[in-house]
Amino acid sequence: MQQIPEEYLKMSREELTDKINSAITKLGDDLLIIAHHYQKDEVVEFAQATGDSLQLAQIAAANKRAKHIVFCGVHFMAETADMLTEDDQHVYLPDEAAGCFMADMANDEQLRICWNDLAGKFGDTIMPITYINSTAAVKAFVGEHGGTTVTSSNSEKIVQWALTQKERILFLPDQHLGRNTAYALGIPLTQMALYKPLTGELVYEGALEDVKIILWDGYCSVHQQFTPDHIAFLRHKYPEIKIIVHPECPIEVVLASDEYGSTNRILNVVADSPEGTHWAIGTDNNLVGRMMHDPHHKIEYLNPMSCACLTMNRIKLPHLAWNLDNILNGNFTQKITVDEETTKLSNLALERMLELS
Ligand code: 13P
Ligand code: SF4
């Protein structure tokens, strides 16, 4: 992994802005810059499209024109875009160190061990489902074993479909999205087991034949910063307040909220609410901070002390300027490439999801 040259870190904001604008003009239709909703304001300013994970995957899959797709997000998102685009399209991550802590909580080797263990206990009754926040290798395993990916905006629809195909589901790596989704579909918590990849233990108190959902013990450290106490505090202070959170939050938080959903749903629910509605929002601070500029609604952080996603925050103007200069110079330093075999198997899972979405 190559470090960003010092000269970019020393440039003024004006110099960086000029550089980026000039590269955008030179590259024209060959370039597409897309950004996740958690990106910094300074980066979002240059994005031709922003979205949640599902939207960004759909944008990448639909775009056949741009030769260079600069993905301002995290590693699994750029990998997904690379797998869904044509061979002659290149996908870049402006800072290659921008990973996702949750995606790193499951690797294909752990998954293989888990799968063999579960096959011994449950036979051929399980569909593997991976949150899109996972490595390409994990997606490939899931695709190869008849499963699918999900995002926070389609998980209910897809898990519902999956349960018409198989008796039970292995959901990874986010236990919270898995639990919130299954619970919303009417599956009781007593039918959900927890698989601990570090010890290989399956935590479940009842009879094994009753298990419907096997949750991988992974989570997002950003969304674990919200608790029911934050909600109780704000409801006491502002009795009229509405709470909306991301489904990566623990179930106690989701159940104590008025609404929950993907980053895009959060934006839409707030935008469509009556003028003057007071909202507290439980998700990454970059997004909530931007929403605070909305003149029609009053917006609060659900937890003002929470940290934003550190990896999403790695991408700053110097990285974007460096990436665009590299493209102009024919240097592919920040290019993200997934090998052919992994792409083929992962796409089985991704395409199944896109069809069902
Ligand atoms: P969305 O798909 O809702 O944008 O979520 C992505 C993510 O990583 C949230 O932490
Ligand atoms: Fe990953 Fe959490 Fe950051 Fe989303 S907010 S990219 S799940 S670490």
Side-chain angles (χ1 to χ4, degrees):
M1 195 180 304
Q2 202 179 310
Q3 293 296 315
I4 182 166
E6 276 289 310
E7 56 181 289
Y8 287 92
L9 300 173
K10 290 185 183 145
M11 284 178 198
S12 68
R13 193 178 174 118
E14 205 183 351
E15 281 174 287
L16 290 165
T17 302
D18 287 349
K19 239 180 187 316
I20 294 169
N21 279 329
S22 141
I24 290 174
T25 308
K26 282 186 197 145
L27 288 162
D29 281 352
D30 281 349
L31 175 70
L32 176 69
I33 303 178
I34 51 181
H36 185 264
H37 289 309
Y38 291 168
Q39 288 291 293
K40 287 174 136 357
D41 293 359
E42 65 190 43
V43 170
V44 166
E45 203 183 304
F46 290 100
Q48 285 146 279
T50 54
D52 66 12
S53 308
L54 178 64
Q55 291 173 309
L56 295 174
Q58 286 167 329
I59 290 169
N63 186 296
K64 307 283 173 221
R65 175 185 50 78
K67 280 202 199 106
H68 306 284
I69 299 175
V70 175
F71 205 126
C72 301
V74 288
H75 197 268
F76 75 82
M77 296 181 176
E79 272 189 337
T80 302
D82 178 57
M83 295 189 288
L84 291 172
T85 47
E86 306 294 319
D87 290 349
D88 59 352
Q89 293 181 292
H90 306 300
V91 177
Y92 307 84
L93 184 63
D95 183 343
E96 285 177 284
C100 162
F101 297 117
M102 180 206 283
D104 292 341
M105 288 182 185
N107 65 46
D108 54 327
E109 192 44 41
Q110 292 169 323
L111 179 52
R112 215 170 299 280
I113 294 169
C114 167
W115 189 250
N116 289 339
D117 181 29
L118 295 180
K121 289 188 169 74
F122 299 102
D124 178 22
T125 62
I126 308 174
M127 178 176 292
I129 294 190
T130 185
Y131 189 20
I132 199 164
N133 295 34
S134 53
T135 63
V138 164
K139 290 187 181 82
F141 184 95
V142 167
E144 191 179 5
H145 291 81
T148 174
T149 52
V150 295
T151 73
S152 57
S153 55
N154 59 22
S155 62
E156 284 177 28
K157 193 172 174 186
I158 292 181
V159 168
Q160 192 166 33
W161 164 82
L163 286 170
T164 64
Q165 310 294 307
K166 288 278 184 180
E167 262 175 71
R168 31 184 84 80
I169 282 166
L170 166 65
F171 192 102
L172 73 155
D174 186 15
Q175 60 165 294
H176 298 301
L177 180 65
R179 189 176 290 114
N180 287 320
T181 302
Y183 190 80
L185 291 171
I187 298 169
L189 295 174
T190 50
Q191 288 195 285
M192 301 185 206
L194 187 69
Y195 178 80
K196 293 181 171 280
L198 297 181
T199 57
E201 197 187 346
L202 184 69
V203 182
Y204 187 66
E205 283 178 1
L208 277 188
E209 66 260 26
D210 293 337
V211 171
K212 281 304 259 182
I213 309 285
I214 299 141
L215 302 165
W216 189 271
D217 187 13
Y219 55 85
C220 165
S221 43
V222 175
H223 290 89
Q224 296 240 126
Q225 299 176 99
F226 303 106
T227 67
D229 284 349
H230 294 125
I231 298 181
F233 173 78
L234 285 173
R235 290 210 194 274
H236 180 72
K237 194 166 171 195
Y238 307 110
E240 82 298 348
I241 203 161
K242 296 267 184 211
I243 314 283
I244 186 164
V245 300
H246 195 278
E248 287 174 14
C249 291
I251 193 163
E252 305 75 44
V253 174
V254 170
L255 292 179
S257 301
D258 298 290
E259 298 272 359
Y260 67 96
S262 75
T263 52
N264 202 50
R265 178 153 202 277
I266 291 174
L267 282 164
N268 289 340
V269 168
V270 171
D272 294 344
S273 65
E275 174 102 21
T277 309
H278 187 179
W279 286 98
I281 303 178
T283 195
D284 171 81
N285 287 350
N286 278 334
L287 174 59
V288 183
R290 244 185 330 273
M291 290 176 76
M292 284 177 175
H293 301 309
D294 172 357
H296 306 292
H297 303 98
K298 191 169 171 220
I299 310 289
E300 307 273 337
Y301 294 109
L302 178 53
N303 172 3
M305 306 304 283
S306 67
C307 304
C309 175
L310 293 177
T311 48
M312 284 276 182
N313 264 305
R314 291 190 69 96
I315 298 175
K316 304 183 181 73
L317 281 195
H319 302 87
L320 184 56
W322 178 44
N323 198 157
L324 295 176
D325 274 355
N326 280 339
I327 294 173
L328 284 171
N329 296 330
N331 169 345
F332 293 156
T333 300
Q334 290 126 307
K335 184 160 136 51
I336 302 296
T337 310
V338 181
D339 68 75
E340 216 176 295
E341 182 61 13
T342 307
T343 298
K344 193 178 95 198
L345 295 173
S346 293
N347 277 351
L348 296 174
L350 285 165
E351 280 160 13
R352 210 165 274 139
M353 172 187 80
L354 291 174
E355 272 163 33
L356 289 163
S357 295

